[in-house]
Amino acid sequence: MTKLCVLCFSTCVLAATAGAQVNLSQWQFVRTDMANVWEVERPVKEGKPESVPLWQDVTLPHCYNAEDGVDPDVNYYQGAAWYRTTIEVANPYAGGHTLLEFEGAGQKTQVYVDGRLMGSHVGGYDRWTVDISEVGNGRHPIAVRCDNSRDVEMIPSDMSDFCLYGGLYRPVHLVYLPERYISDVRIDVEGDKVSVKTSPSNLGEVSCSIVSPDGKTVYEGGIGQPIRIRKPVLWDVDSPSLYTLRITFGQQVIERRFGFRIYEFREHGPFFLNGRRLLLKGTHRHEDHAGVGAAMTDEQIRQEMQQIKDMGANFIRLGHYQQRDLVLDLCDSLGILVWEEIPWCRGGVGGEEYQQQAHRMLENMITQHSHHPSIILWGLGNENDWPGDFSTVIDTVGIRSLMTSLNDHAHQLDPQRKTVIRRCDFCADIVDIYSPSIWAGWYSRSFTDYCEMEEAAIARFPHFLHAEWGGDSHAGRHAESGFDIEVGDKKGDWSESYIVRLFDWHLKEQARMPNLTGSAFWTFKDFCTPLRPLNPIPYVNQKGVVQRDGTPKESYYVFQSYWASQPMLHIYGHSWPVRWGEEGEPREVLVYSNQPEVELFVNGQSVGKRKRNIEDYPAQGFHWSVVLQRGTNTIKAVAKDLSDEITFEYQTAHWGKPAEVRLTRIAPDLIEAQLYDANGIRCLDSSDWIEFSIAGDGELLVNQGTATGSRRIQAANGRATIRLRSLTGPCFVGARCDGLPSALIHL
Ligand code: ADA
C-alpha cells in the first residue's frame, strides 16, 4: 500500500516523500496509569510540561521493561503506561483515509486522538491499525495507553517462561490512503501457479506485474486467474530466490516478495524441500535483547538473524508468538525455514474472550505473513497441558476443543501449510505435525539416551519434529571434570563445558538419523523471564548459545562446526582465563572446526594433527590430551589458512573455601571480582553470589542480563565481572559476597 510513513524510523514498504515529518524525539512516556486522557494532554495544552508525574522523552520503539525485566531486586512492572506526541496530519488524497498502524504493542492498547478514543487492541504481537481519518488534516495530539497487567483471560499466560513486555516496542506508522484502496493482498503459490487476491475484491482496475529474482518482468496483466510462471526459479535455503509482485490500483502501489518451493513431511520422516531430503537444523528466538527488551532496533534484528544464518541454521521456530515483519523478511532473504506460532502458551484454557483472542491472533498471523515462502508451519500452541491459571484441574476437553477449532481455522485460512504444536500429548492427534518434550541430559535422563528417545518418537508419531532441546550454561563457567555424560536425572552443572558436550552429542546423533525431519534447539539467545529469579544471572533463561547481548558462548561454535559451510576453527576456552589440575596431569583440549584436518600446538610444540571424524566424540575427533605447564600457556590450532590461539594460566595449587574477594580493573571499562582462599589461592570452582555497587562519579552497566551486566551474579569459576557505563571522576566500586569482608576498588 502507498504508505507515507512519517512516524517510524524503520523502513516502511513504500515510504513516500509527501507528508509532515514528525520528530520521534517528541514522543513522551510515563510509567503509570493516568486518571483519564485529559490528564495526559492537559500539561501540553496548558504549556506546563513540568507537571507531575514527570514525563520522559523517548524514541520508538520503546519497551518499558527494557531494564526491570532483569533487575535482580524487583518484579518487572506489569501495569499501564502512557505515550503521547503531536502529529501533523497532511493526507494528500481528497477523501482519503489516514491510519495509525502499530506493528505490535504490549499487551493491550488504547489509542486517543484529540482526547477521543479512536481504537483499541488486545494482543502484543500482531499488526493492527486505527482509522483516524475523521480528525482531518492539521495538528493533533495522540495519546496511547499500553497495559501489560496480569490477566488470566488473555494469551499468553503469565506462567509462560518469558516476559510479557509492555510498551510501543515495535514501530508505529502514519499511513495515508486514497478514498478507495486495497487493504490487503493475498498470494498463494501452488506448483508454478500464483493466485493473487485483493481485499476488497471488487475494485475493478487492478493491474499486476511479477519480476523474477534476476530482475526480469515475467508477467504483466490482471489478477482474475491464477498466473502461471514457466519454470520458476525455486526458493531454497541455500539459494533463497524471491519474486516480486507489484499491484497497482490508481495511485496505490503494493509490493510483496514471494517464492516457489515444495516441501513434504513424509510419514515417520524425513523432510523434503524441493524434492531433496533436508535435515531441519533449527533454533528458536524471542524478541528480546539486552538494554532494550522487546524494542530491538532493525540493526539488532538484522545482526541476530545473520548470526543465526552464519551458525548454519536452516530452520527457526519463532517462540512463542508472531514476530516482526522484518524477521520474516530476513528469513525469506537469508533462506531460513520458519515455524511461526500464536502465543497460546501454558496456563490451560480461558473463556470466550480468551478463545476469540487466540483465533484473532491466528487469523492476523496467517493473513499478515502467508506470502513469506520461508514459512512452512503454523504453530497453534506450546505446552497447553501446563496447568495453573485456573483452579480446575487441566481441562483436557476444553483444550482439545480450542485446539480443534484453531486447527480447522488455520487450514481454512491457509490450506497449503501444516499445523504444529509442541508438548500437549493429548492433542497430538489434532495437528499435522507434533513435537513431544524431549530434553535428554537436561530435564530428563542422560544425553547419551537421546538417540533412543528420538527413535521412539519417530516411530510413535506419524509426523514428528523435535522442538526444544539443550540446557542452560552460565557464560564463563568452565569445568575440568564433573560434566560426565552420564548425568542421570540431574541437570548439568550450568557450565559451558557440560553444555558443549550435550550439544555435540545431539548433533552427531542427528547427523546419522535417516528418518529425522529435524529439530530446533532451545534457544539461540539468552532471554528475560520472570520465572527464574534464582538463576546465576537472575531472571535470565540461560539456554542461549549467545548471551543476551549477542556475544557468542562456546556452544555457538559447536553448532557452526557441524552446520556451517563457511570454513571455521575455534579452540574451546576463549572465556576460560585459568585452568587447573595437578602438575603433569593430562588435560583435554577441544577444537571445533568444519575443516578436514587440524594441527594443535601447545606452547609452540606440535602435539599432532587430527582428522575430522564424526564418530570420534567429542568435537568430531578434534580432541587432544595435553600436559600444561604451571603458569602461562598458549595453545594454537591451525587448519589450512585458518588459525586460532588462546593464552591462559594453569593453576596447580589447591584451594580451600573462599576467604576474600578481590577487585581488579582488567580493562578500562571492566571490573573483575575474584574469590581467594585464606592462603591467597584462587577458588576456581566457587559459585558464590557476588553483588556489585558503585559510589562517586561513575555508573555501572547493570540490568542487562549478561555476564558483564548484572549487579547480582553467581561467580563462574570464582569470578564475576561488571562493566562501567561511565566514569567521569573519582569513584569506588564495591563487591559483596555473603560471609566475606566486602572489597572496594578506587577508580
Ligand atoms: C519450555 C518452554 C520454553 C522454555 C523452556 C525452558 O520448554 O516451551 O518456553 O522456557 O521450557 O527453558 O525450560
Side-chain angles (χ1 to χ4, degrees), residues 466-706:
H466 184 191
E468 300 200 19
W469 56 278
D472 290 84
S473 60
H474 188 34
R477 176 173 293 168
H478 304 276
E480 293 285 1
S481 59
F483 44 70
D484 306 340
I485 54 180
E486 298 298 337
V487 288
D489 272 344
K490 88 174 163 60
K491 290 181 189 178
D493 55 5
W494 292 61
S495 70
E496 298 202 55
S497 314
Y498 174 75
I499 218 67
V500 293
R501 284 165 173 82
L502 180 150
F503 283 135
D504 195 350
W505 185 275
H506 278 73
L507 290 167
K508 97 177 156 65
E509 298 287 89
Q510 287 172 359
R512 58 180 186 199
M513 287 183 199
N515 293 326
L516 180 64
T517 53
S519 78
F521 71 89
W522 185 266
T523 182
F524 183 68
K525 189 167 71 178
D526 287 357
F527 64 93
C528 166
T529 168
L531 304 192
R532 300 176 188 267
L534 301 177
N535 271 9
I537 301 176
Y539 295 112
V540 177
N541 184 314
Q542 296 180 241
K543 294 193 184 69
V545 297
V546 301
Q547 293 191 50
R548 193 165 175 254
D549 61 359
T551 306
K553 300 186 199 175
E554 297 292 334
S555 46
Y556 179 83
Y557 303 100
V558 183
F559 282 91
Q560 269 199 330
S561 73
Y562 279 91
W563 289 355
S565 47
Q566 281 295 319
M568 59 78 58
L569 176 73
H570 179 87
I571 304 173
Y572 176 93
H574 279 248
S575 59
W576 195 3
V578 188
R579 295 194 60 165
W580 66 91
E582 303 299 332
E583 192 95 42
E585 187 185 5
R587 302 279 72 172
E588 188 170 52
V589 173
L590 302 179
V591 175
Y592 295 106
S593 179
N594 53 10
Q595 295 303 289
E597 190 175 78
V598 176
E599 183 168 15
L600 193 77
F601 298 84
V602 176
N603 297 322
Q605 298 292 312
S606 173
V607 289
K609 292 181 178 167
R610 295 187 71 100
K611 291 207 184 312
R612 189 175 184 215
N613 173 8
I614 197 166
E615 301 300 327
D616 185 4
Y617 175 87
Q620 303 179 78
F622 297 138
H623 54 89
W624 286 260
S625 183
V626 307
V627 172
L628 301 170
Q629 66 198 19
R630 183 152 31 102
T632 305
N633 290 264
T634 297
I635 289 188
K636 185 173 179 181
V638 179
K640 278 201 233 142
D641 305 339
L642 300 174
S643 71
D644 189 31
E645 189 175 298
I646 56 173
T647 298
F648 57 91
E649 215 177 298
Y650 184 60
Q651 176 176 310
T652 53
H654 293 209
W655 60 88
K657 61 180 181 23
E660 186 194 354
V661 54
R662 284 186 210 163
L663 285 168
T664 317
R665 189 174 183 179
I666 55 172
D669 67 342
L670 197 62
I671 309 293
E672 176 193 76
Q674 174 73 55
L675 290 156
Y676 289 84
D677 73 2
N679 298 318
I681 311 291
R682 274 182 290 241
C683 305
L684 293 174
D685 63 352
S686 159
S687 54
D688 292 45
W689 286 94
I690 306 276
E691 215 164 317
F692 292 103
S693 57
I694 191 161
D697 297 334
E699 205 189 332
L700 296 176
L701 184 63
V702 294
N703 300 335
Q704 301 295 300
T706 60

Side-chain angles (χ1 to χ4, degrees), residues 311-330:
M311 182 177 68
N314 60 24
F315 174 59
I316 193 164
R317 173 174 174 226
L318 302 177
H320 295 297
Y321 41 79
Q322 180 178 337
Q323 300 201 354
R324 260 190 70 184
D325 297 350
L326 176 62
V327 174
L328 279 305
D329 287 343
L330 289 165

Side-chain angles (χ1 to χ4, degrees), residues 67-115:
E67 296 218 349
D68 71 353
V70 288
D71 183 331
D73 296 320
V74 299
N75 292 324
Y76 80 111
Y77 177 76
Q78 289 189 277
W82 286 81
Y83 293 84
R84 69 183 181 198
T85 190
T86 302
I87 54 164
E88 183 76 47
V89 177
N91 191 323
Y93 304 111
H97 300 263
T98 302
L99 310 182
L100 281 173
E101 182 187 61
F102 295 81
E103 286 196 29
Q107 298 276 327
K108 295 179 186 150
T109 316
Q110 284 138 17
V111 181
Y112 298 82
V113 183
D114 294 337

